[in-house]
Amino acid sequence: FTGQMLFPTDVRLDCVDGKYRLATLPIPELAALRTETKTWEKAATQDNPLIEYLTGGAYEITIRFRPDTAAMAVELYGLRLRILPAENILELPDRVVPLSYNYTGREVRLLIDTLSMEVFADEGRIYTALNCETDLRDRQFTLAPVRASQACDVAVSFSPLGDIWE
């Protein structure tokens, strides 16, 4: 099977700086699949990164940060991302997207399962889906600043997602 099945979303039109933008976020019912949520609030450094061990399977991960937060590197399930707030850039495994349309985005939300990752930023105004093979043996989530001399003040929430058939 080579198709990609995505999480259901609510779609809306938002007016940003006088222009209408299509926005999408996961449906509220997704909350019923969260088996638990753990949140870390931390100033991550290269010597003391934020590390969380994932149990495998599907996750919802939300990374919140201030606009002046240093550039950060994220690794999970063998995938590498970079969040560059000052440059308004989100680097994903096979593409680069803006963090927001008007430099106000302060959150990146990831929905990840075994064959795909969906990325929402700027309250859903930035959205992309990646067809990617995750390495479920590499279960360490790591967040650290790109530059050794900096720190990233972040709040990261981890929510494993249960089976829809249960």
Side-chain angles (χ1 to χ4, degrees), residues 6-129:
L6 306 175
F7 287 90
T9 60
D10 283 334
V11 179
R12 67 183 192 279
L13 281 176
D14 286 353
C15 188
V16 179
D17 299 332
K19 295 181 181 177
Y20 283 95
R21 304 286 184 187
L22 191 61
T24 186
L25 285 172
I27 59 173
E29 291 84 356
L30 180 70
L33 294 179
R34 295 182 191 128
T35 58
E36 68 177 284
T37 298
K38 185 186 302 184
T39 300
W40 291 93
E41 293 187 33
K42 178 176 181 165
T45 64
Q46 282 195 350
D47 290 337
N48 189 18
L50 189 155
I51 296 174
E52 175 70 19
Y53 291 94
L54 307 176
T55 59
Y59 267 85
E60 177 183 32
I61 299 172
T62 304
I63 304 167
R64 294 177 191 86
F65 49 89
R66 295 190 322 248
D68 61 346
T69 299
M72 55 196 114
V74 175
E75 291 187 36
L76 73 157
Y77 289 143
L79 304 171
R80 292 189 173 104
L81 298 76
R82 289 186 351 143
I83 302 169
L84 312 171
E87 299 168 42
N88 195 37
I89 290 175
L90 175 58
E91 294 179 358
L92 301 167
D94 68 351
R95 67 194 67 162
V96 176
V97 298
L99 275 171
S100 79
Y101 281 109
N102 58 5
Y103 287 77
T104 60
R106 294 179 180 91
E107 177 179 292
V108 173
R109 186 173 176 186
L110 309 171
L111 291 176
I112 187 163
D113 65 13
T114 56
L115 294 175
S116 68
M117 178 168 55
E118 292 181 67
V119 182
F120 304 83
D122 196 20
E123 300 176 20
R125 293 179 201 110
I126 305 297
Y127 167 77
T128 189

Side-chain angles (χ1 to χ4, degrees), residues 109 130 132 156:
R109 186 173 176 186
L130 293 88
C132 54
V156 182

